[in-house]
Amino acid sequence: MEIRLETVLGSAEVGLFALPTDRYVILSKEINPSKVRVFQQVLKVDTILTSLADSILVAPFAAGNSNGLLLSKLVVDEELKKIKAALPDLNIHRLDTKYTAVGNLILCNDRGAVVSSLLGKNVAKVVADVLGTETVSSTVANRSYVGSLVAATNVGALVFVDAEDDELKLVEDVLHVHVDTGTVNGGVLFPRSGIAANSSGAIVGALTTGPELMTISRVFQR
């Protein structure tokens, strides 16, 4: 598995500009071609270049796995059409909820999903149906924005450092992966913002320190 230190659009918060899975990666269309090639080489999946919600950011507005993709209601029709054309057999759904940064509220891989209790039971059921996984509602470190507090693949999950033991166990049991706590980019507490990873590799923010990188390697290495 390859791990590459990078910046994207001048930022070490590389995870904000990408939604990687083991089947596809959605990248901000503003990323320059040389950086796109890095994502393709490391993650080894098909790439869709687009905006979401007319933003240069991707991660806050989407959550997905190899089975399905959940999008913010702010995603416009043109963006939705482009994604559907690129992934015609994927379950794609715009979530009808007042919360627009759905990527910050949904943590998932191909085996399970943890959703914020803010989304409610009806939305949690939609998440389960679209992703084709077991879905549970929970917090991480008693915070509701679970999607931004964990970077997860089908191999491992790096979790916010203040997560409780029972929360770590829940993430481990639902996603069926090894978990550990850690930071990225020299102490940033939100792992998802600085990591774009799948089972093949990881793009990690360039400010990540040696000790942080050791933890990341241990979590995501097969």
Side-chain angles (χ1 to χ4, degrees):
M1 174 183 177
E2 183 177 3
I3 297 178
R4 186 87 65 92
L5 292 175
E6 283 290 346
T7 60
V8 171
L9 298 174
S11 172
E13 302 296 302
V14 296
L16 297 179
F17 304 97
L19 174 64
T21 73
D22 279 3
R23 181 178 171 189
Y24 58 88
V25 56
I26 297 176
L27 294 179
S28 171
K29 68 179 183 180
E30 301 301 324
I31 298 176
N32 68 56
S34 65
K35 298 289 185 177
V36 171
R37 286 193 292 272
V38 170
F39 277 89
Q40 292 170 333
Q41 291 163 5
V42 174
L43 301 180
K44 298 179 173 60
V45 289
D46 292 336
T47 303
I48 299 100
L49 292 172
T50 185
S51 60
L52 292 181
D54 283 326
S55 170
I56 65 170
L57 303 180
V58 168
F61 302 110
N65 63 11
S66 298
N67 305 309
L69 178 64
L70 298 152
L71 299 170
S72 168
K73 66 182 180 182
L74 297 182
V75 170
V76 300
D77 289 345
E78 183 180 338
E79 295 164 341
L80 180 62
K81 185 182 299 184
K82 183 172 186 177
I83 295 169
K84 284 185 172 181
L87 300 165
D89 57 344
L90 193 74
N91 295 322
I92 301 173
H93 183 81
R94 273 189 292 205
L95 279 175
D96 183 16
T97 170
K98 67 179 181 179
Y99 299 102
T100 54
V102 297
N104 292 338
L105 302 177
I106 301 169
L107 162 65
C108 62
N109 66 4
D110 287 351
R111 303 185 187 103
V114 179
V115 302
S116 170
S117 56
L118 292 174
L119 293 176
K121 291 183 179 180
N122 290 337
V123 174
K125 185 180 185 305
V126 172
V127 171
D129 291 343
V130 172
L131 298 181
T133 63
E134 174 191 9
T135 300
V136 301
S137 296
S138 183
T139 58
V140 172
N142 294 311
R143 293 164 170 83
S144 59
Y145 36 96
V146 295
S148 61
L149 295 171
V150 184
T153 70
N154 291 330
V155 176
L158 187 70
V159 184
F160 188 83
V161 292
D162 290 334
E164 304 285 346
D165 287 345
D166 61 335
E167 293 170 333
L168 292 173
K169 184 68 164 56
L170 182 139
V171 171
E172 184 176 60
D173 290 347
V174 174
L175 301 188
H176 300 281
V177 295
H178 168 69
V179 304
D180 203 349
T181 58
T183 58
V184 69
N185 281 327
V188 174
L189 297 175
F190 304 94
R192 179 68 181 86
S193 71
I195 300 173
N198 64 9
S199 298
S200 297
I203 309 292
V204 180
L207 298 179
T208 300
T209 65
E212 288 174 332
L213 199 57
M214 287 180 64
T215 302
I216 291 166
S217 299
R218 185 170 64 249
V219 168
F220 294 114
Q221 198 79 35
R222 281 187 181 273

